[in-house]
Amino acid sequence: MTFGPTFSALQNEGFLAQGCLAAGLTALRNAQFPDKATFYTGFFQLSTALERVLKLVLIIEHMRKNSFSPPSKEKIERPGHNLVRLYNDCEPIASAIGVTSFVVPAIGSLEAQILNFLSEFAKKSRYYNLDSLASTPSGYGDPLVAWDAILSQVLEFDVPSQKRYRHEAQAKAIHDLIENSIYVQQHGMDGRLLSSENAFVLPAQHEIATPYAMVRVFAVIRPALSLLGEIARQACDYNLRTDRSAHHVPYMNEFFQLFDGSPAEIRRKKRWP
């Protein structure tokens, strides 16, 4: 068998999504206040990766139903960067092919908040800083503030209370030991000046909350990867049954095998792949 014209494009898109996902997860896992640059890298790369994975699901499903002809450029671009819409568009596909792990996150859940956050960033809040120079942004807020709010909820609901209090107490003790010898002028995630104590406590809170936040992120990302892998597998099987002259779709799960693990393994991991 030869390789059809769509095979290489889908394969390259798989590499692109893989790279964005690895960079995004690694950046978000290692981002700690006050290093705001790493947060932005995580937001950009992770939202881009999720968009491409979900669009690949829609593209391959269209090809599977249309003799491996890809959808039009207009159809691919129609959802824009709206990750919530893309997630919703993929749910009936998952149901039809028996992927029960893929469901739209429940309203109000932290997973839903993370999906909404990434979608909002992909659509418009990535322009927050530029827009705020000209006017007050309308309809969306600072992504750093939004992510800080998610971390605060993770800190409250997911991090064991004894672990939280131990780390906060250590940060406060260090502050109390040296506060008369230092001067702190630092802005928080919301741009407001921090007290000298909070300048020590906030990084400690981020350090212990982030590993647990990554487990929540994986709860959004992993179902999309599983769905993409299964829809591509079924398309490949159909390809072998109906057209042995050319490969049209690669096995997409091969690009994402390293993005897995138990919650404990995810919490310990600091770099992907």
Side-chain angles (χ1 to χ4, degrees), residues 14-31:
F15 282 122
L16 196 159
Q18 178 195 64
C20 289
L21 186 57
L25 290 171
T26 299
L28 207 56
R29 171 61 178 85
N30 293 285

mmCIF file of all heavy atoms in Angstrom, residues 14-31:
data_model
loop_
_atom_site.group_PDB
_atom_site.id
_atom_site.type_symbol
_atom_site.label_atom_id
_atom_site.label_comp_id
_atom_site.label_asym_id
_atom_site.label_seq_id
_atom_site.Cartn_x
_atom_site.Cartn_y
_atom_site.Cartn_z
ATOM 1 N N GLY A 14 -0.394 15.465 13.828
ATOM 2 C CA GLY A 14 -0.200 14.696 15.049
ATOM 3 C C GLY A 14 1.080 15.085 15.766
ATOM 4 O O GLY A 14 1.104 15.248 16.991
ATOM 5 N N PHE A 15 2.158 15.245 14.995
ATOM 6 C CA PHE A 15 3.419 15.691 15.593
ATOM 7 C C PHE A 15 3.268 17.082 16.208
ATOM 8 O O PHE A 15 3.802 17.361 17.288
ATOM 9 C CB PHE A 15 4.524 15.713 14.536
ATOM 10 C CG PHE A 15 5.089 14.356 14.206
ATOM 11 C CD1 PHE A 15 5.050 13.873 12.907
ATOM 12 C CD2 PHE A 15 5.656 13.568 15.194
ATOM 13 C CE1 PHE A 15 5.572 12.627 12.599
ATOM 14 C CE2 PHE A 15 6.183 12.322 14.887
ATOM 15 C CZ PHE A 15 6.143 11.841 13.589
ATOM 16 N N LEU A 16 2.558 17.964 15.502
ATOM 17 C CA LEU A 16 2.368 19.326 15.997
ATOM 18 C C LEU A 16 1.591 19.323 17.312
ATOM 19 O O LEU A 16 1.977 19.982 18.288
ATOM 20 C CB LEU A 16 1.649 20.166 14.937
ATOM 21 C CG LEU A 16 1.681 21.687 15.101
ATOM 22 C CD1 LEU A 16 1.393 22.353 13.764
ATOM 23 C CD2 LEU A 16 0.685 22.178 16.131
ATOM 24 N N ALA A 17 0.482 18.577 17.347
ATOM 25 C CA ALA A 17 -0.325 18.493 18.566
ATOM 26 C C ALA A 17 0.479 17.870 19.698
ATOM 27 O O ALA A 17 0.384 18.306 20.852
ATOM 28 C CB ALA A 17 -1.594 17.682 18.301
ATOM 29 N N GLN A 18 1.263 16.853 19.387
ATOM 30 C CA GLN A 18 2.108 16.211 20.386
ATOM 31 C C GLN A 18 3.085 17.216 20.992
ATOM 32 O O GLN A 18 3.260 17.291 22.213
ATOM 33 C CB GLN A 18 2.883 15.060 19.746
ATOM 34 C CG GLN A 18 3.844 14.340 20.672
ATOM 35 C CD GLN A 18 4.831 13.476 19.896
ATOM 36 O OE1 GLN A 18 5.639 13.992 19.122
ATOM 37 N NE2 GLN A 18 4.746 12.170 20.074
ATOM 38 N N GLY A 19 3.739 17.995 20.126
ATOM 39 C CA GLY A 19 4.705 18.972 20.602
ATOM 40 C C GLY A 19 4.073 20.053 21.454
ATOM 41 O O GLY A 19 4.617 20.438 22.502
ATOM 42 N N CYS A 20 2.926 20.553 21.008
ATOM 43 C CA CYS A 20 2.222 21.587 21.779
ATOM 44 C C CYS A 20 1.782 21.046 23.137
ATOM 45 O O CYS A 20 1.881 21.734 24.161
ATOM 46 C CB CYS A 20 1.015 22.089 21.002
ATOM 47 S SG CYS A 20 1.401 23.094 19.556
ATOM 48 N N LEU A 21 1.287 19.813 23.141
ATOM 49 C CA LEU A 21 0.816 19.219 24.386
ATOM 50 C C LEU A 21 1.963 19.017 25.364
ATOM 51 O O LEU A 21 1.842 19.326 26.556
ATOM 52 C CB LEU A 21 0.116 17.891 24.095
ATOM 53 C CG LEU A 21 -0.558 17.189 25.274
ATOM 54 C CD1 LEU A 21 -1.582 18.100 25.934
ATOM 55 C CD2 LEU A 21 -1.224 15.898 24.815
ATOM 56 N N ALA A 22 3.094 18.506 24.877
ATOM 57 C CA ALA A 22 4.247 18.299 25.740
ATOM 58 C C ALA A 22 4.744 19.619 26.322
ATOM 59 O O ALA A 22 5.009 19.730 27.528
ATOM 60 C CB ALA A 22 5.368 17.606 24.965
ATOM 61 N N ALA A 23 4.855 20.636 25.468
ATOM 62 C CA ALA A 23 5.334 21.945 25.928
ATOM 63 C C ALA A 23 4.347 22.582 26.897
ATOM 64 O O ALA A 23 4.746 23.182 27.905
ATOM 65 C CB ALA A 23 5.569 22.863 24.727
ATOM 66 N N GLY A 24 3.047 22.450 26.595
ATOM 67 C CA GLY A 24 2.037 23.065 27.445
ATOM 68 C C GLY A 24 1.956 22.432 28.817
ATOM 69 O O GLY A 24 1.902 23.136 29.842
ATOM 70 N N LEU A 25 1.940 21.109 28.862
ATOM 71 C CA LEU A 25 1.876 20.419 30.147
ATOM 72 C C LEU A 25 3.118 20.687 30.989
ATOM 73 O O LEU A 25 3.031 20.931 32.199
ATOM 74 C CB LEU A 25 1.703 18.913 29.928
ATOM 75 C CG LEU A 25 0.355 18.456 29.369
ATOM 76 C CD1 LEU A 25 0.410 16.979 29.009
ATOM 77 C CD2 LEU A 25 -0.776 18.713 30.361
ATOM 78 N N THR A 26 4.280 20.642 30.336
ATOM 79 C CA THR A 26 5.529 20.880 31.059
ATOM 80 C C THR A 26 5.585 22.293 31.615
ATOM 81 O O THR A 26 5.978 22.511 32.772
ATOM 82 C CB THR A 26 6.733 20.621 30.127
ATOM 83 O OG1 THR A 26 6.710 19.257 29.702
ATOM 84 C CG2 THR A 26 8.045 20.895 30.843
ATOM 85 N N ALA A 27 5.177 23.264 30.804
ATOM 86 C CA ALA A 27 5.200 24.652 31.260
ATOM 87 C C ALA A 27 4.227 24.865 32.411
ATOM 88 O O ALA A 27 4.575 25.476 33.434
ATOM 89 C CB ALA A 27 4.864 25.591 30.099
ATOM 90 N N LEU A 28 3.013 24.359 32.268
ATOM 91 C CA LEU A 28 2.006 24.585 33.301
ATOM 92 C C LEU A 28 2.384 23.871 34.599
ATOM 93 O O LEU A 28 2.121 24.381 35.691
ATOM 94 C CB LEU A 28 0.645 24.094 32.806
ATOM 95 C CG LEU A 28 -0.588 24.765 33.406
ATOM 96 C CD1 LEU A 28 -0.542 26.269 33.205
ATOM 97 C CD2 LEU A 28 -1.859 24.197 32.780
ATOM 98 N N ARG A 29 2.992 22.707 34.479
ATOM 99 C CA ARG A 29 3.400 21.975 35.685
ATOM 100 C C ARG A 29 4.499 22.712 36.436
ATOM 101 O O ARG A 29 4.557 22.691 37.679
ATOM 102 C CB ARG A 29 3.891 20.570 35.298
ATOM 103 C CG ARG A 29 4.539 19.780 36.450
ATOM 104 C CD ARG A 29 3.550 19.556 37.572
ATOM 105 N NE ARG A 29 4.132 18.785 38.645
ATOM 106 C CZ ARG A 29 4.848 19.284 39.650
ATOM 107 N NH1 ARG A 29 5.093 20.598 39.702
ATOM 108 N NH2 ARG A 29 5.325 18.501 40.601
ATOM 109 N N ASN A 30 5.394 23.364 35.716
ATOM 110 C CA ASN A 30 6.547 24.006 36.347
ATOM 111 C C ASN A 30 6.359 25.502 36.582
ATOM 112 O O ASN A 30 7.238 26.147 37.160
ATOM 113 C CB ASN A 30 7.799 23.762 35.506
ATOM 114 C CG ASN A 30 8.208 22.302 35.511
ATOM 115 O OD1 ASN A 30 8.747 21.804 36.479
ATOM 116 N ND2 ASN A 30 7.923 21.592 34.427
ATOM 117 N N ALA A 31 5.227 26.047 36.138
ATOM 118 C CA ALA A 31 4.979 27.476 36.335
ATOM 119 C C ALA A 31 4.703 27.764 37.810
ATOM 120 O O ALA A 31 3.827 27.152 38.406
ATOM 121 C CB ALA A 31 3.791 27.922 35.486
#
